[in-house]
Every structure is written in structure tokens, then in C-alpha cells.
Amino acid sequence: MAHDHSHLDPIDVRVRALESLLVEKGYVEPAALDAIVDTYENQVGPKNGATVVARAWCDDSYRAWLQSDADAAIASLGFTGRQGEHMVVVENTAEMHNMVVCTLCSCYPWPVLGLPPSWYKSPAYRSRAVIDPAGVLADFGVTLPEGMDIRVWDSTAEVRYLVLPRRPDGTENLSESELATLVTRDSMIGTGLALNPDEATA
Amino acid sequence: MSASDPRLADLPPLPDLQGGEPVFAAPWQAQLFALTTALNEAGHFAWKDWAAHFGAELAKTPQVSGQSVPDHYFGCWLTAFETFVQLRGLAGPGQLGDLQRRWDAAARSTPHGEPITI
């Protein structure tokens, strides 16, 4: 049979060549590679950010800390960065909605949100978010009250933004962990809003 | 700026906004991401230098019709990472090409279903 041998796609060949080179030279450890994949596939994700947001909603002193020194406030909950990035938290208000993009590539607050979804990495989002943020929000099904300003923050390798969404109405009696379930990934990028309690259980 | 901004006409539409897809669309993307991150954590380069290099590759490589976002994005990442490790002297001239030929040859001489090694 002509096809009883293995086959590697050209792209797999290129990645294997890189890996074997870097491992052979001792620049990276195979075990470290597996640990990184496991971390980002299974451990780090928007739940971390939701924990931060819910804490800020419940604790004014934590919220103030988050605004003055986001790195330390986030690290206090056990979420720390690996790329030496500096975190900045931008808070939505009744007058201002914040939205985050990376026009350069896909800089993103990994420790609190994990890795970005495809749309965040797409050329379309990276360009449209800056030119027409209201139109992008409409595509996400978000309509802001008339007159609310939108501010777009362009992340870099050194500064990563996390949006602190507004706490939904009617959530005064919810616990911090219940509140965290209302905090979606998109609400922390600014392409969504935090859920109302009835949306969360729907 | 408004939705009638003429620049919008040239832009592709937003992809699927649900974002319920896996973190990596294929194993090679996970492996490439891990290699880059591990090399950074081992102190071989500053992430901002990598981001600038990768960003330049993305900027000059348009997403082609029918190409998924992950394929475009990690395809650019792969090309950028190959040139980056050479620029940084982590890979010598011709080394990656030699290894690619060895991996390809190894695959062709390995019976289907057995692990491929070089």
C-alpha cells in the first residue's frame, strides 16, 4: 500500500522543528510545555476575572485598591501574570462604557480572563472596535442608554485592561459567589454587560 | 465616528461572537503557544518585543477568504516565531530547515499509527 506510512502536515512539521530545536538546546523543558497548555486549557479563565469583579462590587475598599493598584489587588486573590504585564481596571459608570481591544495583536489580561476568544483576535474586531465601537456593541446585541459615552482602550504587551462592569440592579441580596455568576467574559472586555439574575438562571 | 465611516466598507465582518470554541483549534496551536510562553518565561526575550514582532507579521498578512481566525492568527504567530528565534540567535541559519526535513522524512518512514520521532 502506498499510504501506510505516517504523514505530518507542513504546519505540524514546522512546529515540531521549532520544538525539537528549542528542547535540544535546553531552552525549554518538555514538562514546562505540557504545564502551560494545561494551565490555559483547563485552569485559567474568565472565572478568575468574575471573582475579582464580584469582590469589587461587594467591598468598596477592594474596589478602590483595584483602581489604584490593580496588579496587587488582583494578585491578592491568587491571580498573577507571567509576562510582566501591568493591569489597569477601568470602571463602567452611568455615563461611561469602557471597551477593550488590542489593535497590534491580541494583548489580553491572561491571568484574569485566560486566552482570548477568536473574535478578539480577528482583524475585523481589532479594526472595527476603534472605528465604530457602537456598531460593534450592536453586533454583540448591546444597546447602551442614549447619551452614554464609549471609551475604547487599546491594550499593549505592557498594559492590559480589565473592564469593571456595572453591578446589575436587583442584586442587593446576592452573595459574592452568586454575583460572580453574573459576570461574563464579554462584560469584562466591554462587549457585553453583566447579566441580570433572571438572565443568569435562564 | 459613525457607522457610515468609509473605512468600514473595506473591513471584513465580525466572526462568530459566541466564542464558545476551544482555547486552541488544533494541537499545533497549543504547542506553538506553549513554546513561545516557555521561552519567554525562561528569560530569552521580553514579551513586548515579541508582541511588536508578531504584530508586524499580523499587520502585513491579511486574512484570506475562507481562512478561519485561528488559522490566520496562529499561522502568523508561527511565521513570526520562526523569524524571531533566528533574529535572537536562538536558531542558527538553516537549523530549522534541516529539522523540518528530518521530521518530514521521519513521518514518511514511520508506519501509520506509530509515534513519529527523530
Side-chain angles (χ1 to χ4, degrees):
Chain A
M1 280 173 51
H3 295 289
D4 60 355
H5 60 74
S6 300
H7 172 74
L8 286 174
D9 285 332
I11 213 152
D12 288 318
V13 166
R14 289 166 66 190
V15 174
R16 286 195 186 215
L18 280 161
E19 178 175 353
S20 52
L21 177 88
L22 297 172
V23 168
E24 202 173 296
K25 293 197 174 198
Y27 295 145
V28 299
E29 296 287 332
L33 301 177
D34 294 341
I36 288 167
V37 172
D38 179 58
T39 296
Y40 286 100
E41 282 192 325
N42 303 315
Q43 295 172 38
V44 179
K47 279 203 166 89
N48 292 2
T51 304
V52 171
V53 169
R55 173 67 56 85
W57 282 347
C58 295
D59 180 341
D60 285 340
S61 64
Y62 183 78
R63 177 199 295 248
W65 188 19
L66 204 53
Q67 285 167 331
S68 62
D69 186 354
D71 292 326
I74 291 169
S76 76
L77 297 180
F79 314 133
T80 52
R82 303 161 76 120
Q83 271 70 44
E85 64 270 50
H86 175 54
M87 289 288 308
V88 171
V89 170
V90 289
E91 182 174 7
N92 287 346
T93 67
E95 293 81 35
M96 176 72 75
H97 181 84
N98 296 284
M99 196 170 141
V100 181
V101 66
C102 172
T103 57
L104 173 70
C105 47
S106 55
C107 299
Y108 193 72
W110 294 356
V112 279
L113 295 186
L115 296 184
S118 280
W119 58 258
Y120 186 86
K121 299 180 283 197
S122 69
Y125 179 75
R126 293 191 288 113
S127 46
R128 283 178 183 270
V130 177
I131 300 170
D132 180 27
V136 169
L137 284 175
D139 283 343
F140 277 90
V142 176
T143 314
L144 298 176
E146 193 74 27
M148 186 181 281
D149 289 323
I150 305 174
R151 179 150 185 196
V152 178
W153 300 82
D154 194 355
S155 296
T156 67
E158 287 151 312
V159 183
R160 319 276 177 108
Y161 298 97
L162 180 74
V163 174
L164 177 57
R166 297 177 73 198
R167 179 171 175 165
D169 294 333
T171 57
E172 296 75 14
N173 297 325
L174 296 188
S175 69
E176 200 173 308
S177 59
E178 287 169 330
L179 285 169
T181 66
L182 307 179
V183 185
T184 63
R185 177 195 63 205
D186 290 0
S187 75
M188 295 181 280
I189 306 175
T191 55
L193 306 175
L195 301 175
N196 291 310
D198 52 338
E199 290 175 307
T201 52
Chain B
M1 289 183 240
S2 75
S4 60
D5 191 303
R7 288 173 294 175
L8 288 173
D10 299 327
L11 296 176
L14 291 168
D16 173 25
L17 301 180
Q18 299 308 308
E21 78 269 10
V23 173
F24 301 107
W28 68 266
Q29 297 170 5
Q31 211 60 12
L32 177 61
F33 172 83
L35 278 171
T36 313
T37 308
L39 201 60
N40 167 250
E41 289 178 5
H44 292 287
F45 60 88
W47 195 262
K48 67 177 171 56
D49 295 336
W50 158 249
H53 186 76
F54 174 40
E57 183 65 33
L58 280 170
K60 73 178 184 194
T61 313
Q63 186 181 2
V64 298
S65 173
Q67 187 180 34
S68 72
V69 170
D71 281 352
H72 170 257
Y73 177 83
F74 281 108
C76 286
W77 185 309
L78 175 56
T79 302
F81 192 58
E82 286 171 340
T83 54
F84 193 68
V85 295
Q86 292 175 81
L87 281 170
R88 291 298 172 116
L90 300 169
Q95 279 189 315
L96 283 177
D98 289 344
L99 281 163
Q100 288 168 4
R101 280 184 287 278
R102 285 173 60 195
W103 275 110
D104 191 51
R108 291 173 196 282
S109 62
T110 301
H112 188 76
E114 291 185 17
I116 304 164
T117 56
I118 61 169

